[in-house]
Each structure stands twice: as structure tokens, then as C-alpha cells.
Amino acid sequence: MDTVDPLEQERLIFIITLPLSSAIILANLLIIVGIACNRQLHNTPNYFFLSLLVADLCTGIALPFIPRMGLTRSLNFQACLFMHIFPNFLFLSFLFNLVMVHYERYLCIVSPLHYSQFWVHRCFPAALLAVWMPPLLFASLPAFGWNNWNEWSSESYYNYHNTSGSSSGDGSSNCSSGTCQDDEHCSYKQIFPRPFIYMEVYGLLLPAIMCIIVMTGRVLWIARKQLRDICKLHRAVERHEASDHEQQLNVRYAKCVAAVSLTFLLCWVPYIVYLHVSVVLFQDENDNNSSLNIILSCTGIGSMAIIPVILGLANRQYTEPIRKLLRKLRDRWTGVRNSEDATP
């Protein structure tokens, strides 16, 4: 993979993330306003979803900065920590909120008569704290000393200047006795040790994704089983083969399966590919900030952040206030146009 110039890297990240970030922020704001304006939606399940929307909104804001974590920049230790820890915390909290929303709805479908007795409903503040505090604590571990700053500082300085061509012509550098006189150079390998990356990817991210996939598959299996029971009742009552209502139910279930499969292919697969590519690149001693790696990071994280938007727009109750407002604006605009046409 060919590496690109740092300015070209910044430009490529800006071109890819700006439309994604703008769309995610705008869509989340519209859904949040829709939930806030509808008093019937002020209940525990929608509070979980509202927390997910807030986390997704923060992820959309931080989206242009997350791919930049793979670039080498001139930052001091405190600024480098913040530029890596804060976006990582926002994304982990988003993923934890996404798991909680799927888990809450999974309980609602698996135990519809007793789901209100589960701890996520009886102890809502504790459940809400559970999706925000663990990501904050885990993402803050490098700030408590689990980092490679001292080991990588001098080495990253030499690598950075050798690759960027900023070293002097005789091969000498501006470091004497192991101390660099220029600004300290910040890289994600200095902040996140290799065990930290492995623990986050294979201990948090991939297990969370697998839990969501398993719960979604279980829900589809339960829906299919209930659909068969409904079809059996229809056949017992109607005394003939498939009725129109049964066909409509089968078509609706097929659309649901197709929507879930398409969401998985478009949203989950790019992110899973990005995770494995990032782990492979982390094992390399050199900084391979190629255009392919940047595109995978931008599209992978952006596709993950679109999932709450899809869930929110699929619920007509969430978008009803916005649709009413758009209808009023359209009717008013139509009335103004008609009055102007009627005026001689």
C-alpha cells in the first residue's frame, strides 16, 4: 500500500468524513427533537434510545478526528492523550449504548409480560451509568500510565523526520543525548500499547458486535416462529391454504430479514474489516498510513454511526413531529404560491 503525503491524508479524511459527520449530526438532532416533542415517547425504552442518539451525535462530531488518530502529529503529551482518549471514549460509549438498546428490546420480545421487571427497567440510572462509565474508565487507562510514550518518543521522532524528509542533509537530527528539541510527536502507538489494542478489539468491540448479531438473530427466529403459529390459526379458521393476510405477513417478514441483512452488510461488515486491518497495521513497526487504511477507517466508523439513524428513521413515532412540521411548511408554501398565482 502506497503512503500519501500528510496534507493529502488530512484532505482525504476531510472529504470522506465531512458529509458523513454532517448527515449523522443532522439526523440525530431531528430524531432527538422528535422524541422530545412527543410526550407518549417519554418512557424507559425511549430513554435508552435517546442516550444512544446522544452518543451517536457525539460520535458524529468526533468522526473527523477518529481517523486522524492514525496520523503522526506534533503534540505534547497532554494534548496527545486528549486527542486519542476522548474520541475513543465517545465511540466506546456509543457501542455500549447500542448493545444496551438491542438488549432492552431483546428482553421486550423474549419476555413481553415480564420485561418491565428486569434490572434495566427497575434500575434505569444504574443501567444508564453502565453504558457510560466503563467506556470512560477503559479509555482513560493510558492517562493512568498504561502507554508507550517514553518508549516511542525518540523512535517516533526519528521515523517521522526520516519519512517526511525534514531531517538535515547530513543525516543528523535535532535530538541530542536522546532529547528532542522540537515539539514532541504524537502517534497512536505511543498512547495505546499493543495489549490495550488487543483487549479493546477482541475483548470489547468484537464481543459487543457478536452479542448484537446473536440477539438480532434470536429476535428474527422468534418472529418467524410466531408467524408460523399465526399462519396455522388462519388455516384452521379459513379452512383453505394461504390467505391474503398470511401472504402479507410472509412478505413483511421477508422485508424485515432483507433489511437486517442489508444493514449488516452495509454497516457492520465495513467496520469489522476495518478492525482487523487496523490490528494488522498495528503489528507493523512502520507507520503505513495509506489511503486504503484511511478510507477503511472513515467508512468503517461512519457506517457504524449510521445504525442508530436507521433505527430512528424506521420508527414513524420518532419522525412524526418533523413530518408534521414539514407538511405545515409545504402547505404554507403552497398557499403562498397559489395566492401569488391568483393575484392579477
Side-chain angles (χ1 to χ4, degrees):
M1 293 183 294
D2 298 331
T3 57
V4 294
D5 184 73
L7 293 179
E8 293 295 330
Q9 293 175 347
E10 296 280 348
R11 187 179 305 172
L12 181 61
I13 293 174
F14 179 79
I15 292 174
I16 298 177
T17 58
L18 182 61
L20 286 173
S21 178
S22 302
I24 291 170
I25 293 173
L26 180 60
N28 279 283
L29 287 176
L30 292 177
I31 300 173
I32 289 173
V33 171
I35 296 177
C37 294
N38 192 345
R39 293 182 177 272
Q40 296 179 352
L41 299 178
H42 294 179
N43 50 44
T44 301
N46 290 311
Y47 289 154
F48 280 118
F49 193 74
L50 190 63
S51 177
L52 173 62
L53 293 175
V54 172
D56 192 34
L57 177 65
C58 296
T59 303
I61 296 174
L63 182 60
F65 302 97
I66 296 178
R68 287 185 173 90
M69 294 167 61
L71 306 181
T72 302
R73 293 167 291 178
S74 297
L75 294 173
N76 58 31
F77 178 64
Q78 290 76 15
C80 187
L81 274 178
F82 179 80
M83 293 299 295
H84 287 80
I85 289 177
F86 191 64
N88 193 33
F89 156 66
L90 293 179
F91 185 76
L92 288 176
S93 62
F94 158 73
L95 188 60
F96 274 58
N97 275 276
L98 189 62
V99 174
M100 180 61 71
V101 168
H102 280 80
Y103 177 66
E104 190 275 332
R105 297 189 177 183
Y106 169 79
L107 294 178
C108 180
I109 294 176
V110 173
S111 301
L113 300 179
H114 306 285
Y115 79 98
S116 60
Q117 301 177 2
F118 289 100
W119 70 276
V120 293
H121 287 267
R122 291 187 292 103
C123 304
F124 171 72
L128 197 62
L129 195 65
V131 297
W132 288 96
M133 286 304 298
L136 178 61
L137 295 176
F138 182 81
S140 301
L141 288 179
F144 294 109
W146 196 12
N147 58 72
N148 289 331
W149 185 264
N150 294 328
E151 298 178 9
W152 283 82
S153 292
S154 300
E155 183 177 352
S156 64
Y157 179 87
Y158 287 113
N159 291 337
Y160 179 80
H161 279 270
N162 289 333
T163 56
S164 61
S166 60
S167 59
S168 58
D170 57 353
S172 62
S173 63
N174 294 327
C175 292
S176 60
S177 301
T179 303
C180 298
Q181 298 177 0
D182 285 355
D183 293 335
E184 296 174 317
H185 292 276
C186 172
S187 173
Y188 72 99
K189 292 184 179 181
Q190 296 173 255
I191 301 298
F192 301 130
R194 184 170 297 181
F196 181 91
I197 296 292
Y198 291 158
M199 185 180 297
E200 180 170 340
V201 173
Y202 298 109
L204 293 178
L205 301 182
L206 289 180
I209 295 173
M210 291 303 300
C211 289
I212 293 175
I213 294 174
V214 170
M215 287 187 288
T216 303
R218 173 68 175 169
V219 168
L220 290 177
W221 184 82
I222 293 175
R224 182 59 180 174
K225 184 178 179 180
Q226 293 178 350
L227 178 60
R228 290 178 179 175
D229 294 338
I230 294 175
C231 292
K232 289 180 181 180
L233 291 175
H234 272 281
R235 292 175 181 176
V237 173
E238 299 292 336
R239 297 296 182 180
H240 57 76
E241 294 297 327
S243 62
D244 294 337
H245 183 64
E246 181 179 342
Q247 293 178 355
Q248 293 177 0
L249 291 177
N250 289 324
V251 171
R252 186 175 301 177
Y253 178 79
K255 290 181 179 179
C256 181
V257 174
V260 171
S261 302
L262 186 62
T263 302
F264 175 78
L265 291 176
L266 295 180
C267 299
W268 289 109
V269 172
Y271 180 69
I272 295 175
V273 172
Y274 158 70
L275 283 181
H276 289 285
V277 171
S278 62
V279 171
V280 171
L281 292 179
F282 186 84
Q283 295 176 351
D284 195 352
E285 296 297 332
N286 299 320
D287 291 330
N288 293 328
N289 295 320
S290 66
S291 57
L292 178 60
N293 184 33
I294 293 175
I295 293 174
L296 284 177
S297 64
C298 296
T299 55
I301 299 172
S303 62
M304 275 280 293
I306 295 176
I307 295 177
V309 175
I310 297 175
L311 296 176
L313 296 179
N315 193 329
R316 295 179 64 88
Q317 288 182 316
Y318 295 159
T319 58
E320 183 63 27
I322 304 300
R323 287 189 286 111
K324 287 182 179 180
L325 178 61
L326 293 177
R327 283 197 296 265
K328 289 181 179 179
L329 294 176
R330 183 189 61 186
D331 295 341
R332 182 174 298 181
W333 174 257
T334 304
V336 171
R337 293 292 300 272
N338 292 336
S339 62
E340 291 179 352
D341 294 340
T343 301

